[in-house]
Amino acid sequence: MQRGLPMQPTVVLLREGTDTSQGKPQLLSNISACLAIAETLSSTLGPRGMDKLIVSERGEAQITNDGATILKLLEIVHPAARTLVDIARAQDAEVGDGTTGVVLFACQLLKEIRSYIEEGVSPHIIMKGFRQASQIALDRIKEIQVSVDKSDPERFRSLLLKCASTSMSSKLIHSEKPFFSNMVVDAVQCLDQDDLDESLIGVKKIAGGGMQDSMLVKAEVFQQPLILCLNVELELKAEKDNAEVRVDAVSDYQAIVDAEWEIIYRKLEAIEKTGAKVVLSKLPIGDLATQWFADRDIFCAGRVGAGDLRRVVQAAGGAIQSTCSDISREHLGTCGSFQERQIGGERYNLFEDCPNTKTCTLVLRGGAEQFIEEVERSLHDAIMVVKRAVKNGEVVAGGGAVEMDLSAHIRKHALTIPGKLQAVHIAFAKALEIIPRQICDNAGLDSTDILNKLRMRHHNGDTWYGVDVDGASGVRDNMAAFVWEPSLVKLNAIASASEAACLILSVDETVRNPQSEQGKAGPKAPPGAAQRALRGRGRGMPRR
């Protein structure tokens, strides 16, 4: 009788209890998770988009329709769906606008090819088709984008106002678009036009008043009061905060106290000798120093935010000093007028008529705190859009016009491709239509009828026809109607969405480590609970 082959021992690579999912079901599950996010975000798109009220664990409520902010506040934990959070944040950081559109387009790409995955089409073929179609779309945008002449300042400013206004169309402040568009364009034009560092635009939020009470504080030219910016603490520290000192006599202790007072007075006298009339410090300024400065008609403020101090230095000149000795004239800044003004229920210090006009501050007013925060987010998006328009100067029509043109262009190109790639290209073209379709749905329009009109228009060569949420026909030439967006918004959105869809399609297995999840989510278990649970599952230490 022939003896059988010996059994191969079972090799366990992963910790017991590790959750592994793989294959086609895992891929379809990831797609479903992404589509759930799209369902949440879809109603916020376009000029008639709705807002979301999101309440945190602490009961803090935020009202917003900004895609990146919503995804951040939702705290999504699904590993594949977090890819969408990343592309929304990247779009927000790079361009500032189009965060909802990029997520919806990525999700629609996955939705269009889900049936192909179910039928067994290789994800690699789909990814190849997506990358090809994405490149065709990017080339088409560069072909049709309109370059704006920057040589005429008035015409160029008009372009920037239209870009800012288009960005605000879907925001809470759409009713005050002309007012805020002018404010945003003025703020961006205050910056150094070479680097356009938007962090030099300060924002102060003051509750009370109406939106029209908001204002832009600009710096202009000339000099008078000298301004000294420090990173020095001007405060007597309590003994408990200092190092331990052992003394044998009261006179020794008094000598230590006198030395400490001598040090701070020496600092104060050195500051007075510089001639500065305004002293700002990132670190605290105590009561002694405040009174000493007040007696000598010097204004001082401690615990000034790093961003505020940086903007003051940028506007007034000088440099932040980390010592009070050897401060020369070139280390001090200047301004034409310095005043303390009551705005709402708080007092603010305004530096006006500064030598450098490379910084400014937006003072935002409004009734509710949540409202003011949403205004700030809306203005940030508009500032980023205007910044990109200044840097690049190329625009395309919004309102779904460019997406419909790309869809028609890719469909036409797909007819020249044989095999499965043709179907993938057509799916990509169909996915692009989600933007105009969702704009119609959110505005209460008949999306099927309007998309048919747009397809006919674009087939006839009307490149810039898009959705018109106000007109009777539902379609119009959005370039002529001044619904403009920087082409960079669309270039970045299509590239990011395509790469995100390819990344999700490339994942065929998820390995979830249970131990790492225990540390992340949920309240901590009481001491000993984990050990008891492990013993209950037969994973504890063996008994002696």
Side-chain angles (χ1 to χ4, degrees), residues 359-383:
T359 180
C360 58
T361 302
L362 296 171
V363 180
L364 305 181
R365 306 295 307 278
E369 184 181 343
Q370 295 93 337
F371 176 78
I372 301 176
E373 288 179 356
E374 179 63 5
V375 171
E376 181 189 8
R377 284 189 288 268
S378 303
L379 292 185
H380 170 265
D381 288 1
I383 286 168

mmCIF file of all heavy atoms in Angstrom, residues 359-383:
data_model
loop_
_atom_site.group_PDB
_atom_site.id
_atom_site.type_symbol
_atom_site.label_atom_id
_atom_site.label_comp_id
_atom_site.label_asym_id
_atom_site.label_seq_id
_atom_site.Cartn_x
_atom_site.Cartn_y
_atom_site.Cartn_z
ATOM 1 N N THR A 359 0.259 93.801 1.971
ATOM 2 C CA THR A 359 -0.552 93.048 2.917
ATOM 3 C C THR A 359 -1.837 93.815 3.209
ATOM 4 O O THR A 359 -1.908 95.024 2.984
ATOM 5 C CB THR A 359 0.216 92.795 4.233
ATOM 6 O OG1 THR A 359 -0.601 92.054 5.134
ATOM 7 C CG2 THR A 359 0.628 94.098 4.888
ATOM 8 N N CYS A 360 -2.849 93.121 3.678
ATOM 9 C CA CYS A 360 -4.128 93.763 4.003
ATOM 10 C C CYS A 360 -4.896 92.836 4.943
ATOM 11 O O CYS A 360 -4.493 91.696 5.188
ATOM 12 C CB CYS A 360 -4.946 94.036 2.742
ATOM 13 S SG CYS A 360 -5.304 92.551 1.782
ATOM 14 N N THR A 361 -6.008 93.315 5.460
ATOM 15 C CA THR A 361 -6.825 92.534 6.389
ATOM 16 C C THR A 361 -8.300 92.659 6.014
ATOM 17 O O THR A 361 -8.781 93.769 5.774
ATOM 18 C CB THR A 361 -6.620 93.017 7.840
ATOM 19 O OG1 THR A 361 -5.240 92.909 8.171
ATOM 20 C CG2 THR A 361 -7.435 92.177 8.813
ATOM 21 N N LEU A 362 -8.981 91.531 5.959
ATOM 22 C CA LEU A 362 -10.420 91.519 5.740
ATOM 23 C C LEU A 362 -11.112 91.499 7.100
ATOM 24 O O LEU A 362 -10.871 90.595 7.914
ATOM 25 C CB LEU A 362 -10.832 90.270 4.944
ATOM 26 C CG LEU A 362 -10.279 90.150 3.517
ATOM 27 C CD1 LEU A 362 -10.603 88.764 2.961
ATOM 28 C CD2 LEU A 362 -10.857 91.210 2.612
ATOM 29 N N VAL A 363 -11.938 92.473 7.364
ATOM 30 C CA VAL A 363 -12.728 92.519 8.606
ATOM 31 C C VAL A 363 -14.138 92.090 8.248
ATOM 32 O O VAL A 363 -14.861 92.802 7.545
ATOM 33 C CB VAL A 363 -12.708 93.931 9.216
ATOM 34 C CG1 VAL A 363 -13.540 93.956 10.496
ATOM 35 C CG2 VAL A 363 -11.279 94.378 9.496
ATOM 36 N N LEU A 364 -14.532 90.909 8.720
ATOM 37 C CA LEU A 364 -15.825 90.327 8.343
ATOM 38 C C LEU A 364 -16.834 90.509 9.458
ATOM 39 O O LEU A 364 -16.541 90.255 10.627
ATOM 40 C CB LEU A 364 -15.656 88.828 8.037
ATOM 41 C CG LEU A 364 -14.597 88.466 6.981
ATOM 42 C CD1 LEU A 364 -14.563 86.966 6.768
ATOM 43 C CD2 LEU A 364 -14.876 89.183 5.676
ATOM 44 N N ARG A 365 -18.032 90.934 9.096
ATOM 45 C CA ARG A 365 -19.109 91.136 10.057
ATOM 46 C C ARG A 365 -20.279 90.235 9.697
ATOM 47 O O ARG A 365 -20.462 89.841 8.538
ATOM 48 C CB ARG A 365 -19.590 92.591 10.045
ATOM 49 C CG ARG A 365 -18.519 93.638 10.252
ATOM 50 C CD ARG A 365 -17.886 93.556 11.636
ATOM 51 N NE ARG A 365 -18.862 93.594 12.708
ATOM 52 C CZ ARG A 365 -19.403 94.699 13.199
ATOM 53 N NH1 ARG A 365 -19.080 95.879 12.696
ATOM 54 N NH2 ARG A 365 -20.276 94.647 14.193
ATOM 55 N N GLY A 366 -21.089 89.914 10.677
ATOM 56 C CA GLY A 366 -22.260 89.089 10.441
ATOM 57 C C GLY A 366 -22.965 88.783 11.746
ATOM 58 O O GLY A 366 -22.424 89.014 12.833
ATOM 59 N N GLY A 367 -24.176 88.252 11.624
ATOM 60 C CA GLY A 367 -24.982 88.027 12.820
ATOM 61 C C GLY A 367 -24.541 86.839 13.645
ATOM 62 O O GLY A 367 -24.381 86.938 14.850
ATOM 63 N N ALA A 368 -24.331 85.689 13.001
ATOM 64 C CA ALA A 368 -24.028 84.462 13.733
ATOM 65 C C ALA A 368 -22.596 84.023 13.459
ATOM 66 O O ALA A 368 -22.047 84.281 12.386
ATOM 67 C CB ALA A 368 -24.994 83.351 13.323
ATOM 68 N N GLU A 369 -21.998 83.356 14.438
ATOM 69 C CA GLU A 369 -20.611 82.897 14.297
ATOM 70 C C GLU A 369 -20.458 81.919 13.134
ATOM 71 O O GLU A 369 -19.504 81.991 12.357
ATOM 72 C CB GLU A 369 -20.165 82.242 15.605
ATOM 73 C CG GLU A 369 -18.709 81.814 15.605
ATOM 74 C CD GLU A 369 -18.306 81.145 16.909
ATOM 75 O OE1 GLU A 369 -19.032 81.299 17.907
ATOM 76 O OE2 GLU A 369 -17.275 80.456 16.917
ATOM 77 N N GLN A 370 -21.431 80.981 12.999
ATOM 78 C CA GLN A 370 -21.353 80.001 11.906
ATOM 79 C C GLN A 370 -21.429 80.701 10.552
ATOM 80 O O GLN A 370 -20.765 80.299 9.596
ATOM 81 C CB GLN A 370 -22.498 78.974 12.009
ATOM 82 C CG GLN A 370 -22.428 78.092 13.233
ATOM 83 C CD GLN A 370 -23.221 78.653 14.387
ATOM 84 O OE1 GLN A 370 -23.470 79.860 14.443
ATOM 85 N NE2 GLN A 370 -23.620 77.810 15.318
ATOM 86 N N PHE A 371 -22.236 81.746 10.478
ATOM 87 C CA PHE A 371 -22.380 82.486 9.225
ATOM 88 C C PHE A 371 -21.063 83.167 8.847
ATOM 89 O O PHE A 371 -20.637 83.122 7.689
ATOM 90 C CB PHE A 371 -23.499 83.524 9.369
ATOM 91 C CG PHE A 371 -23.663 84.412 8.173
ATOM 92 C CD1 PHE A 371 -24.316 83.956 7.039
ATOM 93 C CD2 PHE A 371 -23.137 85.694 8.172
ATOM 94 C CE1 PHE A 371 -24.457 84.773 5.932
ATOM 95 C CE2 PHE A 371 -23.279 86.516 7.069
ATOM 96 C CZ PHE A 371 -23.945 86.043 5.948
ATOM 97 N N ILE A 372 -20.419 83.800 9.823
ATOM 98 C CA ILE A 372 -19.158 84.493 9.541
ATOM 99 C C ILE A 372 -18.088 83.494 9.100
ATOM 100 O O ILE A 372 -17.288 83.774 8.195
ATOM 101 C CB ILE A 372 -18.680 85.283 10.776
ATOM 102 C CG1 ILE A 372 -19.727 86.316 11.195
ATOM 103 C CG2 ILE A 372 -17.364 85.981 10.498
ATOM 104 C CD1 ILE A 372 -19.389 87.067 12.467
ATOM 105 N N GLU A 373 -18.054 82.320 9.727
ATOM 106 C CA GLU A 373 -17.065 81.306 9.337
ATOM 107 C C GLU A 373 -17.293 80.834 7.908
ATOM 108 O O GLU A 373 -16.342 80.587 7.157
ATOM 109 C CB GLU A 373 -17.115 80.124 10.307
ATOM 110 C CG GLU A 373 -16.541 80.452 11.682
ATOM 111 C CD GLU A 373 -16.612 79.272 12.631
ATOM 112 O OE1 GLU A 373 -17.170 78.226 12.233
ATOM 113 O OE2 GLU A 373 -16.110 79.404 13.762
ATOM 114 N N GLU A 374 -18.557 80.693 7.506
ATOM 115 C CA GLU A 374 -18.851 80.294 6.124
ATOM 116 C C GLU A 374 -18.482 81.406 5.144
ATOM 117 O O GLU A 374 -18.000 81.142 4.040
ATOM 118 C CB GLU A 374 -20.328 79.914 5.991
ATOM 119 C CG GLU A 374 -20.754 79.507 4.584
ATOM 120 C CD GLU A 374 -20.060 78.265 4.055
ATOM 121 O OE1 GLU A 374 -19.284 77.621 4.804
ATOM 122 O OE2 GLU A 374 -20.284 77.939 2.880
ATOM 123 N N VAL A 375 -18.672 82.659 5.557
ATOM 124 C CA VAL A 375 -18.236 83.784 4.722
ATOM 125 C C VAL A 375 -16.726 83.730 4.529
ATOM 126 O O VAL A 375 -16.217 83.936 3.415
ATOM 127 C CB VAL A 375 -18.650 85.130 5.362
ATOM 128 C CG1 VAL A 375 -18.000 86.299 4.619
ATOM 129 C CG2 VAL A 375 -20.164 85.286 5.346
ATOM 130 N N GLU A 376 -15.997 83.430 5.597
ATOM 131 C CA GLU A 376 -14.534 83.327 5.496
ATOM 132 C C GLU A 376 -14.123 82.231 4.516
ATOM 133 O O GLU A 376 -13.243 82.426 3.672
ATOM 134 C CB GLU A 376 -13.930 83.046 6.878
ATOM 135 C CG GLU A 376 -12.405 82.950 6.856
ATOM 136 C CD GLU A 376 -11.818 82.460 8.162
ATOM 137 O OE1 GLU A 376 -12.595 82.043 9.051
ATOM 138 O OE2 GLU A 376 -10.585 82.468 8.292
ATOM 139 N N ARG A 377 -14.779 81.056 4.607
ATOM 140 C CA ARG A 377 -14.466 79.959 3.680
ATOM 141 C C ARG A 377 -14.789 80.354 2.242
ATOM 142 O O ARG A 377 -14.037 80.029 1.314
ATOM 143 C CB ARG A 377 -15.236 78.702 4.083
ATOM 144 C CG ARG A 377 -14.660 77.982 5.291
ATOM 145 C CD ARG A 377 -15.328 76.632 5.493
ATOM 146 N NE ARG A 377 -16.683 76.772 5.985
ATOM 147 C CZ ARG A 377 -17.014 76.770 7.274
ATOM 148 N NH1 ARG A 377 -16.077 76.663 8.187
ATOM 149 N NH2 ARG A 377 -18.263 76.885 7.656
ATOM 150 N N SER A 378 -15.904 81.047 2.046
ATOM 151 C CA SER A 378 -16.291 81.470 0.698
ATOM 152 C C SER A 378 -15.286 82.456 0.120
ATOM 153 O O SER A 378 -14.904 82.354 -1.055
ATOM 154 C CB SER A 378 -17.684 82.105 0.728
ATOM 155 O OG SER A 378 -18.640 81.221 1.276
ATOM 156 N N LEU A 379 -14.846 83.404 0.952
ATOM 157 C CA LEU A 379 -13.876 84.385 0.477
ATOM 158 C C LEU A 379 -12.518 83.748 0.217
ATOM 159 O O LEU A 379 -11.797 84.149 -0.699
ATOM 160 C CB LEU A 379 -13.736 85.528 1.491
ATOM 161 C CG LEU A 379 -14.959 86.431 1.655
ATOM 162 C CD1 LEU A 379 -14.646 87.587 2.595
ATOM 163 C CD2 LEU A 379 -15.422 86.983 0.322
ATOM 164 N N HIS A 380 -12.163 82.728 1.003
ATOM 165 C CA HIS A 380 -10.902 82.018 0.748
ATOM 166 C C HIS A 380 -10.927 81.375 -0.635
ATOM 167 O O HIS A 380 -9.960 81.468 -1.396
ATOM 168 C CB HIS A 380 -10.662 80.960 1.824
ATOM 169 C CG HIS A 380 -9.529 80.026 1.502
ATOM 170 N ND1 HIS A 380 -9.727 78.794 0.895
ATOM 171 C CD2 HIS A 380 -8.196 80.148 1.648
ATOM 172 C CE1 HIS A 380 -8.557 78.205 0.702
ATOM 173 N NE2 HIS A 380 -7.619 79.012 1.157
ATOM 174 N N ASP A 381 -12.054 80.719 -0.963
ATOM 175 C CA ASP A 381 -12.182 80.104 -2.290
ATOM 176 C C ASP A 381 -12.055 81.160 -3.382
ATOM 177 O O ASP A 381 -11.358 80.964 -4.388
ATOM 178 C CB ASP A 381 -13.532 79.383 -2.423
ATOM 179 C CG ASP A 381 -13.580 78.105 -1.602
ATOM 180 O OD1 ASP A 381 -12.576 77.806 -0.925
ATOM 181 O OD2 ASP A 381 -14.604 77.410 -1.621
ATOM 182 N N ALA A 382 -12.731 82.292 -3.191
ATOM 183 C CA ALA A 382 -12.693 83.349 -4.203
ATOM 184 C C ALA A 382 -11.291 83.940 -4.329
ATOM 185 O O ALA A 382 -10.823 84.223 -5.441
ATOM 186 C CB ALA A 382 -13.698 84.439 -3.844
ATOM 187 N N ILE A 383 -10.604 84.118 -3.204
ATOM 188 C CA ILE A 383 -9.234 84.655 -3.235
ATOM 189 C C ILE A 383 -8.315 83.717 -4.004
ATOM 190 O O ILE A 383 -7.495 84.151 -4.831
ATOM 191 C CB ILE A 383 -8.715 84.873 -1.795
ATOM 192 C CG1 ILE A 383 -9.381 86.107 -1.174
ATOM 193 C CG2 ILE A 383 -7.189 85.038 -1.778
ATOM 194 C CD1 ILE A 383 -9.154 86.250 0.317
#
